[in-house]
Structures are given as structure tokens and as C-alpha cells.
Amino acid sequence: MPHTKRRRLVTTVVAVSLGATALAACGSSDDSKADSGPVSLTYWAWAPGMDKVVDLWNKGEGKQDQITVTVKKQASGDTLVTKILTAHKAKNGPDLVQAEYQALPTLVSNDAVADISKNVGDAKSKFADGVWQQVTLGTDAVYAVPQDIGPMMFYYRADLFKKYGLTVPTTWDEFASTARALKKKAPDTDLTTFSANDSGLFAGLAQQAGAKWWTTSGDKWKVAINDAATQKVAKFWGGLVKEGAIDNQPMYTPAWNKALNTGKQIAWVSAVWAPGTLTTAAPDTKGKWAMAPLPQWSASEDVTGSWGGSSTAVTTDSKHQEAAAKFAAWLNTDGDALNALAKESGIYPASSSAQLSGAFSNPPEYFSNQADFYTEAAKIAKTTAPSAWGPNVNVAYTSFNDAFGTAAKNKSDFVTALNTMQDATVADMKKQGFEVSQ
């Protein structure tokens, strides 16, 4: 499965005391003068094959501009964020870093990444609005350039849907009805499972429903993890689990793999990277699956959530922010670079134009029966809802795993679990010194 899917923020971040605004302004590239003479940049990244992609820059545009980039492979997720914050505290961070979207508020609040809005040209035009918003955090600043994304979709066994006389659900009400209908026809078979071991899935579902877990006003944060939209999502999935219409077992276990491979579970709410996971988890069902848009809360809507994805940020420690920003824009908008990223790193590009070219001209091998896989994926990606991340996503995600893990296992109230998640997140923010409005 792609490297971005199951990452969480560090469980301990450097506590910050914010000044005039909740997202303190980072060192801006306005202060970075144009570089003269050769420039050497360091890029911390975890994506496989990134060094091969960067070689294209060093031999081409970088050579012309006398800007050389060196990749230093890093561990991902928690470890990388911790390392960046530690390096920044010592004022010796790299020039660039691969940063997951949900990590950006933590890095921004710690003044670890720079505002590169003056140095990325027309990059914004290359991305869907909901994707671009993830690197601006709803401000006029630009804290990174989007690299890869994980628009959410619905995957199902086309052959078994036909066998059981099921119709692909287009709304969540239809999804629930489909789950119940399958249980009546095949009691030992589940439409899907609610997995409490991946908070990113639940966050994406809440995002689709319109949730905005963290927002800012002046120097204060508002935390609304248990808002009406998320309560709707929690009640929906909790109800299906309680009545036994779907399974309540976690994903990514041998039992889950077997359920997918044998047809005991015949659908999966996932993201664009799912073919890679299915190739490993359910090898015997290759060519039997199909992909469709995520069910909607009302028939008139057309929106999806996001599960995974990362960006390229320039650090405030860089002495060459303008040159670093130029490379970040090239890496994530240039056609040759994006094709190389797809081939070497296995990413699904955030750039809208790249989603229908190069490596994405043909469907994934696992979905060779669905010729329009990437055409449909590109359409879905354009409907990605804006996200709203905060400075302690790590605490929210950990609380989710604990509270929803217990609720799913016991088939107890999911809204109670959601309130626990809200309370834990607010308490942690106050402990860190953030101003939180009620």
C-alpha cells in the first residue's frame, strides 16, 4: 500500500505559544534574496525512488540554474516530524521536506516551514481547489506544494454484486440497504467492515460529510471533532455495526485479507491507492473488482474525502528558500517529474493534468477489466472536499483508535467515542498552550 496511507503525527510535539495569530506566520521567502552562483539543497523524503526523480532535475533544469538537490532518505510519519522539529530547534533543518498534509499545521505552528507563496508561480492552477487548500491552511500563505493525494472511492466485487443481485450504492442510505440485503441473502458474508485501526479513513469520511475539525479565528483555535457532520458519520457506521449489518473487525490483518480474498467481504471504502493493497491482500480476486465514486449523503451531492497524501515544503532553516521553492514546484508540476514519481515512487499525483497522462493512461493491472479506472479517478479527485487539520492531529488520531476501537469491539455508542475524541484533543491543545474557543 502507498507510503502515505497510515501515517500519524508524532505523539509528542514541541509545545508552542502562539502570538498574534493561531497559525503564526512562518519565515517568508520574501526575505530570501535571489541566489547567485551554485546552490546545494538537501531534501528529506521517504518516498521510494525519490533520488532517481531528483536526478532528472540535477541533469536538466537544476543544472541550468546551478541548483543541485540531494535526497536524504528518512523514516516517515511520526519519526520524520519529530526529526524536523528537533532539527529546527537546533537551526539545522534541511532545505526541503516531504510533509503529509495533516502534519503541516504542526510544522507551521512551530515555525518550521516557510511561506513560499511568492516563489511558486502559477502552481495553484495545477491542482483542484480542495487539494490546494491543504497547503494554504485556508490562508493567503502557501506552506508547501501538493505532491500526491488519496481521493476516496468505493470498491466492490462486481461478480458477487451480480450474483447476489445487488446494485452499486450511490448514497449512504443505499449503502446501508445494500449491506442489509446482502446479510439476508448470505448471512456469513459482509458488505464491508468498520475498522477502528485507521483514523485516516474516518477523518476522510467526516471530511466528505462537511466536517471541519479545526478552524481558527484570530489567535484562537476552535475544535469541532464532534460537530454535526461527524456525528452523522459516527451514528451511521455505529448503527450498522450494532445491528450486525457489517463486520466490526480491523483492516490489514490476516483475517481481513482472507475475507477479501475469499469473498466473505465484498466491498471496501478506500482511496485511489487501493489496487496496490488488493494486489497483496486478495491476489486470487484480480480482475473481479470494480471502482465507483463514494456514496453521497444526498443524491444531489458530488464530493469525496481524502485519505492520505503528502506535499513538498521548504523549511525556514533553508538559506535558499527561493531556489528550494522553485524545485518544489518543478517536482510536483513538471510532466517528466510526475511521470517519474509515478514510476519510481508509486504515487497518485496531486496535479490534475498528470492524473490522465503517462503512467495513468492505462488502468492498474489489478483493475485491467476497468479501462476507465484513472479517467474516473481523475473526475473523483476534482471533487475532493477541503480539509481542516490542526496542530495536534496525533492526539485526535490516538484517541480515535482507543475510543472507537472499544466501541467497535463492544458495538457500543460511536457518538460517545466521538465525544471522548473531542475532549482529549481540546485538553491536549490547552495543555500545549493554545488558545481554544468554546
Side-chain angles (χ1 to χ4, degrees):
M1 64 194 74
H3 51 271
T4 57
K5 186 191 61 55
R6 300 180 68 189
R7 306 288 175 241
R8 295 175 177 83
L9 287 178
V10 289
T11 53
T12 303
V13 298
V14 179
V16 293
S17 178
L18 297 183
T21 59
L23 279 174
C26 282
S28 171
S29 55
D30 286 347
D31 300 326
S32 177
K33 304 301 182 182
D35 295 300
S36 59
V39 171
S40 295
L41 305 174
T42 302
Y43 179 26
W44 285 5
W46 72 79
M50 185 63 77
D51 54 336
K52 296 179 181 178
V53 182
V54 171
D55 278 346
L56 294 177
W57 165 268
N58 289 335
K59 293 175 181 177
E61 191 165 339
K63 186 176 182 179
Q64 296 174 13
D65 294 343
Q66 294 185 298
I67 302 171
T68 301
V69 179
T70 300
V71 176
K72 289 193 175 180
K73 190 72 178 287
Q74 305 293 322
S76 56
D78 299 6
T79 304
L80 180 56
V81 176
T82 300
K83 189 172 181 179
I84 284 290
L85 295 179
T86 301
H88 173 61
K89 196 173 183 181
K91 301 187 185 303
N92 64 353
D95 297 281
L96 299 121
V97 62
Q98 185 178 2
E100 291 177 287
Y101 297 117
Q102 71 266 28
L104 281 175
T106 297
L107 296 176
V108 170
S109 293
N110 282 278
D111 196 30
V113 294
D115 173 9
I116 55 174
S117 56
K118 304 298 183 184
N119 299 114
V120 293
D122 66 343
K124 179 181 178 180
S125 65
K126 309 292 184 182
F127 306 97
D129 290 343
V131 172
W132 186 252
Q133 186 269 345
Q134 295 205 87
V135 298
T136 67
L137 308 184
T139 71
D140 293 331
V142 176
Y143 295 110
V145 180
Q147 186 164 100
D148 61 316
I149 55 172
M152 295 176 68
M153 302 159 184
F154 179 69
Y155 294 86
Y156 63 99
R157 282 281 300 274
D159 58 331
L160 295 182
F161 262 57
K162 183 176 180 180
K163 174 183 176 180
Y164 296 123
L166 304 175
T167 302
V168 178
T170 59
T171 66
W172 287 115
D173 283 343
E174 291 177 1
F175 180 94
S177 297
T178 301
R180 297 182 184 112
L182 176 62
K183 272 297 176 186
K184 289 182 179 179
K185 297 179 180 181
D188 294 330
T189 303
D190 296 296
L191 179 65
T192 194
T193 187
F194 178 85
S195 176
N197 71 342
D198 205 315
S199 39
L201 170 58
F202 184 77
L205 291 170
Q207 179 186 349
Q208 185 212 20
K212 289 181 174 53
W213 286 358
W214 287 270
T215 53
T216 61
S217 177
D219 62 350
K220 292 185 178 182
W221 285 91
K222 180 179 180 181
V223 183
I225 291 174
N226 61 348
D227 64 4
T230 311
Q231 285 194 36
K232 179 170 64 175
V233 175
K235 289 176 182 177
F236 176 82
W237 288 95
L240 291 178
V241 167
K242 186 174 183 178
E243 70 178 85
I246 61 174
D247 199 4
N248 62 341
Q249 300 303 309
M251 300 182 293
Y252 316 117
T253 64
W256 181 74
N257 291 347
K258 183 177 180 181
L260 291 176
N261 202 37
T262 60
K264 186 181 184 304
Q265 179 180 321
I266 68 170
W268 183 26
V269 174
S270 189
V272 70
W273 42 257
T277 301
L278 291 171
T279 298
T280 302
D284 297 338
T285 62
K286 176 182 176 181
K288 298 180 179 180
W289 290 78
M291 178 270 285
L294 209 59
Q296 303 293 311
W297 285 104
S298 70
S300 61
E301 293 178 329
D302 184 16
V303 62
T304 195
S306 182
W307 186 6
S310 63
S311 64
T312 307
V314 175
T315 72
T316 51
D317 292 324
S318 175
K319 294 178 174 60
H320 308 288
Q321 291 178 16
E322 185 177 343
K326 185 172 184 178
F327 166 77
W330 171 89
L331 179 65
N332 300 305
T333 62
D334 179 83
D336 290 339
L338 289 165
N339 283 334
L341 279 170
K343 177 183 177 182
E344 304 294 345
S345 305
I347 74 157
Y348 183 73
S351 169
S352 299
S353 60
Q355 294 164 6
L356 291 172
S357 62
F360 306 100
S361 299
N362 298 307
E365 185 180 354
Y366 193 90
F367 280 78
S368 57
N369 58 302
Q370 189 171 359
D372 65 348
F373 182 95
Y374 282 126
T375 302
E376 290 303 305
K379 292 178 183 178
I380 293 169
K382 290 180 180 178
T383 70
T384 301
S387 63
W389 302 113
N392 65 338
V393 174
N394 57 300
V395 172
Y397 275 16
T398 299
S399 178
F400 170 87
N401 292 343
D402 294 340
F404 277 82
T406 299
K409 181 179 180 180
N410 298 336
K411 298 186 177 182
S412 57
D413 183 40
F414 275 26
V415 174
T416 298
L418 186 64
N419 290 334
T420 298
M421 189 177 166
Q422 165 80 9
D423 293 343
T425 304
V426 170
D428 175 76
M429 289 187 69
K430 290 181 177 179
K431 182 179 179 181
Q432 286 195 51
F434 290 97
E435 292 287 336
V436 182
S437 63
Q438 300 298 323

